[in-house]
Structure formats: structure tokens, C-alpha cells
Amino acid sequence: MDVSKHIDRAEKEVARKNYDLAISLYDQILAIQPDEGRARTGKRRAELAKHQKAYPSALTRGIKNLVPQLAIAIGKAVRAHGLVASMAEKALSNDPKNVKLNLVLGHALLAKGHKNGAESAFAVVAEFDPNDIESMKTLGRLYYDNKKYEESLACYERVIKVAPRDQEAVKMRKNLAAEGAIKSGGFEKAKSARDLAKSSEQMAELERRQRLVRSAEDVEAALEEAKAAVRENPERADLQRELGNLYFQKRDLPRAAECFEEALRLQPDDFETSTRLGDVRLLDLDTRIRELREEAKEGVEGAADMLRRLNEERRGFRVEEFRRRVKAHPTDTGLRFRLGQYLLEDDELDDAIAEFQAVVKDPKRKFQAMTLMGKAFAKKGMWDLATKQLEAALEGMGGVDEKNLEILYTLATSLEEQGRREDALARFSQIYEIDISFRDVAKRIEVLRRAD
């Protein structure tokens, strides 16, 4: 049974913030198809969103999950994996961030042979506990089994960051790095020495074509070869994508878009190609906006109005595009950070804060996310929360210097808005000591001193 329409409906309810209805729809889907990974992922996201503003207290969670936890213990004892999975799901509805419960669910689903559902559970574990290398390796193996080689490789690379000597992760990373080239080269289909020789030639050709092209002559030569390859094999998505990449490098954006669209027609679920198509469209909008700015400066009739409309189109498209990317890779904090930035710029503050709250779990982006979260709280007029985030971000960055004067300025403003004039004056003075001409800091200091 195809449940994709039902999942689409549930996702629309999540977008409308009708979380209870969405969760109910996901439950109905999982009752029919318990190994529907997209539904399990969607359900967990809906539960997390539902509890975003007011997460249940430890006492409330403990009381509500008393019976499910007891049932889980009994189910484990008698190896009733279906019961364990069912009770874990019930408990997670009250405590969706609980890493241990997600682990219980993942292992129970694995025992039942439900790899897609298990993948969803272990992805949540990886998001909330990136140092759990065993779960990360399990997720890597599940991605590999589902032919999600890029995601699998990312898992093993994260393991190696935590445990550089983990032999399984090192070996899998090495294997996965070659996986794409091997499959494209045709090695898995080679049955004879002659076939293998042809495959070797194909692999060498693939590697040659994928080298960084430096000169315009190289681009043109590679472009002609790629066009010939597409004419010979028009139904190969990888060749269409390669041709699109070359047109993109040449900045022939309309032709690049055509190639990526054709590659997506042949391989609709290819994330890399859809991302490249999104990049092409964003660059095209940027180029047109830049041209219109010049026309508007020159006073060309209608240019200013067209520029305004195109800027609005770009803002809408980039948010839509990065929402799509985050939906496909919800644990990619780099994507979530950029989406948060765009949402903040568009004053979609609650959604921006939600993205930054997910990103702060990534040590590499923690303080950047805290900074922007603080700015979002400041825009909402929630000065106490803004102050808390900005002070923590500054401390984490090692104090005040010329690189974080903007953060310091927002913090000082936040303190002033709370009536903490002495603290605000101290922060503005720190900026003044580093850069006397920074924004209106001299005037702000003068006003605060007069107020005292």
C-alpha cells in the first residue's frame, strides 16, 4: 500500500502546527506499515515540535512512562520485540528527546527486521548524543544497507572524530570513499577479465573527468566530451549531472538547470542533483538582482520595482530550498544553521530559534548558533533570554575582541532594555576601547552617563 499521500497530509498538519492530528496520522500509517521510516521520522519531529515551548518535567515524564517502562522490561525479558517497540513509541510521545528510549526502539525494530524504522530511531540518537559511537556505527550500517552511501560515510567520519582508532569506522570510511566510483565504473557487474578491463577504463575516465578543471580551454574540452557522452547515453543520470556541473562552472545557468532537471527526471530522489539545481536557481536570482541594482542606480524605469519583487522571490525561494534540504537531512547542522540564518533575516523568529536550538548541539557551530539565537530573542523583545544567550556565546568565544563587536553591541542594547544601565555602559565601553567609531557607541555611552 502506498502511504506517501497520507505522509504528505501529516507533514502539512505539522506545518500548520496541528501536532496532535499529525501524530495521530503517523500512528495510523505505522499501524499499517511499521517499517515506514519516513513516518517514524515525521512522528518524532512532530513530537519534538509539540514539546518545543514546554518540555514535560522529569516528574511528569516519569509518572506518564511508568507503565510503558514496566512493559518494556517485561517485553525484553521474553524477547517480545513488537511489544518493546510499541511501548517505546508510547513512552517517546511523552519524552521524544530520550536517547535511551530511542535506542530501545531502534534495537527492537532491528530485531523485527524493520531497518527503515530503526534508521529513523538511530538518527534521533545520533542527533541528541553524537558521542554514542556504537549507535552511530549502527546508523552507518543501516544507511549503507539502504544504499545511502553519502549519509553512511558521514556517520563513520563522525565516529572517527570521536574515536580516531576505531578500526571498523576507518575501514568503512575507506570502502565508502571508493563506493561511488566503483559502482559507476561497473565493477560489481564485471564477469570476465575483458569486462573488468573495460570497467577499469571507465573508472579511469570517470576520475579524469572529475578532476578540478582550471582553464577555460579545459572547461570547453570537458564540456564537449560530456555532451558526446550524453548523446550516446541520454538515460544516464550521472552523465546528465556531470554535464550540468560543467555548464554551471561555465556559468551557463539555463543549460545547467536543464541538465540537472533531466538528471532528476531520471533519478528523482537524488539529493545531490536537487541541491545543485537549487544552487543554480539561487545563483541565477543573485545575478539578476545584481544587474537590476545597477539599472535601478541608473534610473531605468521599472527597475526598482522589479528589484523589490526579485528580492522577495529570492527570500522565499532560499527558505523553501533549505527547508527541503533540512527535511532530507535533518541531522545536518550546517544546513539547519543556514536555514536559521535565512529565517532570522526574514523575521520568522520562532522558526529561526527552533533551528538554532537544534544547531547548538553541534560543538563546531554552538557559539555561532547561540549568537544568532540571542539576536532572534532580541528581535522578539525577549531581552532576558537574549542576554543569557549572548553572554554565554561571548564567554565560549574566549571574550571580547574586534571580531565580535556586533555581538557585544546587541548584548549592551539588551542590558539597556532591561534597565541594567551600569552593565550596558560597561559593555558599550568595551566596544569603545576597541573601536571608537563603531556604530553609535559613543552617543550611547554619552546618553547612559547622563542618565546616571
Side-chain angles (χ1 to χ4, degrees), residues 242-257:
E242 181 192 340
L243 182 57
N245 284 331
L246 288 165
Y247 276 129
F248 184 76
Q249 191 168 350
K250 193 182 176 184
R251 290 299 185 264
D252 189 339
L253 301 181
R255 285 200 176 103

Side-chain angles (χ1 to χ4, degrees), residues 278-413:
D279 290 340
V280 167
R281 288 172 175 166
L282 281 169
L283 182 59
D284 182 49
L285 285 167
D286 286 340
T287 303
R288 289 157 62 194
I289 286 169
R290 190 163 52 249
E291 291 170 353
L292 279 168
R293 279 200 193 113
E294 293 302 317
E295 291 180 11
K297 285 180 183 177
E298 294 169 4
V300 176
E301 185 178 355
D305 187 52
M306 179 64 74
L307 178 61
R308 178 184 56 79
R309 287 197 302 243
L310 213 57
N311 273 316
E312 288 177 2
E313 181 183 341
R314 186 186 188 280
R315 281 196 297 270
F317 177 75
R318 68 184 183 180
V319 167
E320 179 185 344
E321 172 66 13
F322 275 85
R323 282 192 194 278
R324 181 191 64 76
R325 296 184 190 186
V326 167
K327 182 179 177 181
H329 292 275
T331 59
D332 188 325
T333 53
L335 293 177
R336 300 198 75 159
F337 183 76
R338 287 187 67 183
L339 174 58
Q341 285 181 298
Y342 297 147
L343 290 166
L344 177 60
E345 288 174 22
D346 291 353
D347 288 331
E348 295 185 40
L349 302 177
D350 289 336
D351 287 347
I353 289 166
E355 295 304 322
F356 295 135
Q357 285 173 337
V359 175
V360 293
K361 299 177 183 68
D362 181 353
K364 291 189 298 183
R365 297 183 175 88
K366 178 178 181 178
F367 300 116
Q368 288 176 295
M370 291 174 75
T371 297
L372 295 184
M373 200 190 313
K375 289 184 178 181
F377 282 131
K379 277 191 170 188
K380 284 174 69 71
M382 303 173 75
W383 303 109
D384 54 338
L385 294 177
T387 299
K388 180 180 178 182
Q389 293 295 328
L390 295 169
E391 286 181 336
L394 279 174
E395 184 179 351
M397 292 176 181
V400 177
D401 58 31
E402 65 277 1
K403 296 178 183 177
N404 49 35
L405 294 184
E406 189 65 41
I407 304 172
L408 197 57
Y409 186 91
T410 307
L411 173 58
T413 302

Side-chain angles (χ1 to χ4, degrees), residues 104-125:
V104 168
L105 176 62
H107 286 296
L109 291 170
L110 271 183
K112 291 282 290 180
H114 296 162
K115 289 187 176 182
N116 293 321
E119 178 187 302
S120 171
F122 282 107
V124 176
V125 175

